[in-house]
Amino acid sequence: MNILLIEDDADVATNIAEYMEQRGARLDFAYDGRQGFALASANRYSVVILDLGLPGLDGIEVCRRLRRASTDTPVLMLTARDELEEKVEGFQAGADDYLVKPFALPELYHRLLALTRRAEGTTAGLIEIADLEIDPQSHEVRRAGRRIHLNRTELRLLVVLAKATPKLVARAELEAEIWGDAVVGADLLRSYIYRIRQRIDRPFPVSLLETVHGEGYRLREDRD
């Protein structure tokens, strides 16, 4: 694992680094948001550990800028506050997981492993559903030949749904795929599904993304 650790607390950074390096990981360090953003933009990492309370740019803004720049590296956010609103804001900014300080280093390590496995799992070959084409490797999505722009989380959700087609994917299963065991607000998944639908269905005469109320979502090839 090649890790970028963006953390302004030297003691926390040292503890994380020592534990991860003992398990074969390689780490780069940044101690403020601007430096972290520059490193994450210029280099390829397996995962980014991102503290929220950073000087220069806070963690939310760093993550938001990375996603705007189409950087798809998994991001695990660290914070001292266990507040749902802050977690939701982090996920909306593009974070993939969330851990509250103080935390156990083995838990952090296994969360990082899970994030890297999920990221590797989205690099399969081209997926075709009706006139929708999804290329997880290049992160390109097209429908009827038209390029559709999705952010990292939207793409991951679409890939999960596409691989399950035509089966229904339960809400809880989708949330677990994207956010692990983190507790997220009830509206977060719904808002992502809405944005995906606006992009892949709204401009076209046939809708592919179906909501089964109270159960989950699915992509179907035979929608009328």
Side-chain angles (χ1 to χ4, degrees):
M1 237 184 331
N2 189 17
I3 301 170
L4 173 61
L5 174 57
I6 310 175
E7 168 62 69
D8 65 327
D9 186 317
D11 291 336
V12 172
T14 298
N15 288 338
I16 292 173
E18 290 178 350
Y19 187 88
M20 297 301 163
E21 287 172 346
Q22 289 172 4
R23 283 147 186 81
R26 300 178 303 278
L27 287 90
D28 285 346
F29 301 89
Y31 298 99
D32 64 66
R34 295 189 186 280
Q35 182 189 22
F37 175 72
L39 284 172
S41 300
N43 301 284
R44 185 70 179 174
Y45 295 100
S46 307
V47 65
V48 174
I49 304 172
L50 176 62
D51 186 44
L52 284 189
L54 294 168
L57 293 175
D58 66 25
I60 294 290
E61 185 59 25
V62 171
C63 191
R64 189 175 288 125
R65 292 188 184 190
L66 288 174
R67 297 316 185 210
R68 286 176 187 159
S70 299
T71 302
D72 63 350
T73 306
V75 173
L76 183 144
M77 282 188 170
L78 301 177
T79 182
R81 291 178 289 178
D82 187 13
E83 297 178 4
L84 180 59
E85 293 79 6
E86 190 175 60
K87 291 181 180 179
V88 170
E89 185 181 12
F91 286 128
Q92 289 176 333
D96 299 277
D97 201 355
Y98 206 103
L99 198 55
V100 177
K101 300 176 181 177
F103 52 83
L105 288 168
E107 180 180 4
L108 173 62
Y109 175 69
H110 285 286
R111 283 178 180 267
L112 296 179
L113 288 179
L115 286 178
T116 56
R117 283 197 300 267
R118 285 184 217 158
E120 291 168 358
T122 62
T123 58
L126 185 69
I127 305 171
E128 298 182 68
I129 299 169
D131 57 353
L132 178 67
E133 297 179 352
I134 307 163
D135 188 340
Q137 185 70 44
S138 66
H139 305 160
E140 286 192 3
V141 178
R142 296 181 183 273
R143 184 162 182 195
R146 185 189 304 181
R147 178 77 179 271
I148 297 170
H149 296 280
L150 300 177
N151 67 29
R152 174 183 167 80
T153 302
E154 292 163 356
L155 177 63
R156 289 175 60 198
L157 280 166
L158 186 61
V159 168
V160 172
L161 290 167
K163 287 182 176 180
T165 300
K167 295 180 181 178
L168 177 82
V169 183
R171 168 186 290 273
E173 184 178 344
L174 279 172
E175 290 176 344
E177 278 289 333
I178 305 305
W179 297 293
D181 59 0
V183 177
V184 298
D187 292 333
L188 185 59
L189 176 61
R190 189 179 300 115
S191 70
Y192 275 110
I193 293 293
Y194 173 80
R195 292 204 295 270
I196 295 170
R197 181 175 282 120
Q198 291 295 101
R199 290 165 173 78
I200 72 167
D201 277 347
R202 186 174 181 183
F204 303 95
V206 176
S207 296
L208 300 176
L209 180 53
E210 179 183 32
T211 299
V212 180
H213 293 288
E215 297 186 37
Y217 305 92
R218 64 185 167 199
L219 285 171
R220 293 181 56 184
E221 295 183 321
D222 59 347
R223 297 302 309 275
D224 297 324

